[in-house]
Amino acid sequence: MSDVGTGASSDNGNDTPPIWGGGDQSPGPSRRPEPKGPLAHVPIGRVSAQSLLSDPRYRHLRRRVILALAVGIVVWLLLQSWRVGVTAAIIAAIADAIQQARMDSSIPAWRRASSAERRTEHQLRRLERKGYRTLHARAIPNSDAQIDHLVIGPTGVYAVDSEKWDRRLPVRAQGHRKLFHGPFNKKDRLNEARWEAQQASELISRELGREITVIPSLAIYGPPVPWRTLTIRDVDVFSGGFVRKWITKRERSLTPDEIDAIYRAAERVLPPRYPVDPAPSSRTVGNMSR
């Protein structure tokens, strides 16, 4: 995974009335509640547009405003028409909003450091109309591992791990046993992907009471991959842009009812990777070597 659902938090309300110290039972003068969160440093009643744009939550709005202003000024200087400049600025802001919406992800915010996961997720969305269902960023219980994308559809069940590698280093293989990225042997990464798929297969099979095979894969972004699909250490390896074709090229083996049953079982046994740790440690999956 590159660099897997979102968790919901709840407020624990306390209905117990406050106990005031001393003999005086009156609560005294009311106090305005203190602000919390990113805007805690901003005085109440003085929240300005500038303070909002400086909030990290509104970083995309700041970028959009700067982009629109830049486009508007350039067009105005070139065409000497403020109306055309304003129109161009509005169009630029709309285009940026559309692009941002297309990049939105169901993966939690602290996991979105991986552009590879976002790109794979965007591709998999196009499979929904063909009857495929996908779970993103699902944890393997009792480990730090996760499956980036679990895909269930007419052609089977797939575990897709997305990787973004340095494009300057070549990808090469030695037979069906070794994968290299430049001088780096990716044996551990392949073992991890295979182990994750095996765990998902066992958990889902136990939940449904029948055997479910989960096919492991590694989708690589960055350097060119000199093959379409190559199975290395039982893991299908391919270029990230090939993920949809890799899934749909197989024969149909599952009915809509089976897809729905497997999807619901996977939801139960593979919990979402909740954003409780903003800097998750490297995955520990035990002894995965063959």
Side-chain angles (χ1 to χ4, degrees):
M1 306 158 284
S2 43
D3 333 307
V4 127
T6 58
S9 61
S10 62
D11 291 333
N12 295 323
N14 186 359
D15 297 330
T16 305
I19 300 176
W20 305 96
D24 187 0
Q25 297 301 313
S26 69
S30 61
R31 297 183 61 187
R32 180 180 296 178
E34 304 219 348
K36 299 180 180 179
L39 297 181
H41 63 284
V42 180
I44 296 177
R46 297 183 182 181
V47 178
S48 63
Q50 180 179 0
S51 62
L52 287 176
L53 289 177
S54 64
D55 188 330
R57 294 176 300 176
Y58 304 109
R59 188 175 302 163
H60 64 288
L61 295 179
R62 182 170 66 249
R63 187 195 65 251
R64 191 168 301 156
V65 169
I66 294 173
L67 174 65
L69 287 175
V71 171
I73 291 173
V74 170
V75 173
W76 172 63
L77 291 175
L78 291 176
L79 302 180
Q80 294 297 309
S81 171
W82 67 268
R83 289 186 176 87
V84 177
V86 171
T87 302
I90 294 174
I91 293 174
I94 294 174
D96 181 73
I98 294 174
Q99 177 65 19
Q100 185 66 32
R102 295 176 67 179
M103 293 300 293
D104 280 347
S105 172
S106 63
I107 300 174
W110 63 267
R111 288 287 305 156
R112 289 190 213 145
S114 167
S115 61
E117 289 180 49
R118 293 199 304 269
R119 293 172 67 177
T120 298
E121 183 182 3
H122 180 68
Q123 291 187 69
L124 294 177
R125 287 177 185 171
R126 302 181 185 180
L127 292 180
E128 293 177 358
R129 67 188 69 176
K130 298 182 180 181
Y132 289 85
R133 305 185 71 178
T134 307
L135 295 169
H136 302 284
R138 310 303 287 199
I140 303 295
N142 302 317
S143 80
D144 291 331
Q146 80 165 32
I147 296 175
D148 290 345
H149 320 276
L150 186 74
V151 186
I152 306 103
T155 60
V157 185
Y158 307 91
V160 182
D161 279 356
S162 301
E163 291 278 311
K164 184 174 182 180
W165 291 355
D166 190 337
R167 66 175 62 246
R168 297 170 297 180
L169 300 178
V171 175
R172 56 190 177 88
Q174 290 183 1
H176 295 276
R177 298 295 299 168
K178 294 183 178 181
L179 174 67
F180 291 91
H181 177 220
F184 304 105
N185 190 332
K186 292 298 182 177
K187 174 184 175 181
D188 290 342
R189 189 64 191 87
L190 292 170
N191 287 339
E192 181 182 8
R194 186 180 70 244
W195 182 86
E196 292 168 354
Q198 289 173 345
Q199 294 298 304
S201 176
E202 293 175 5
L203 290 167
I204 297 172
S205 298
R206 191 180 307 127
E207 181 73 10
L208 290 178
R210 65 186 183 93
E211 184 176 357
I212 300 296
T213 300
V214 179
I215 303 172
S217 69
L218 195 64
I220 300 173
Y221 296 90
V225 178
W227 55 76
R228 288 178 68 84
T229 304
L230 183 63
T231 303
I232 309 174
R233 299 186 71 83
D234 298 328
V235 178
D236 285 356
V237 180
F238 46 82
S239 174
F242 192 65
V243 61
R244 281 186 297 132
K245 290 183 179 179
W246 172 73
I247 291 173
T248 57
K249 70 176 182 178
R250 302 169 185 268
E251 294 184 2
R252 290 175 172 260
S253 58
L254 296 176
T255 66
D257 289 341
E258 290 174 324
I259 293 170
D260 185 63
I262 295 172
Y263 178 85
R264 286 186 282 107
E267 275 191 314
R268 293 192 295 269
V269 300
L270 299 172
R273 176 67 72 185
Y274 295 121
V276 295
D277 182 3
S281 59
S282 60
R283 300 165 190 162
T284 303
V285 294
N287 183 9
M288 299 176 293
S289 59
R290 201 178 224 184

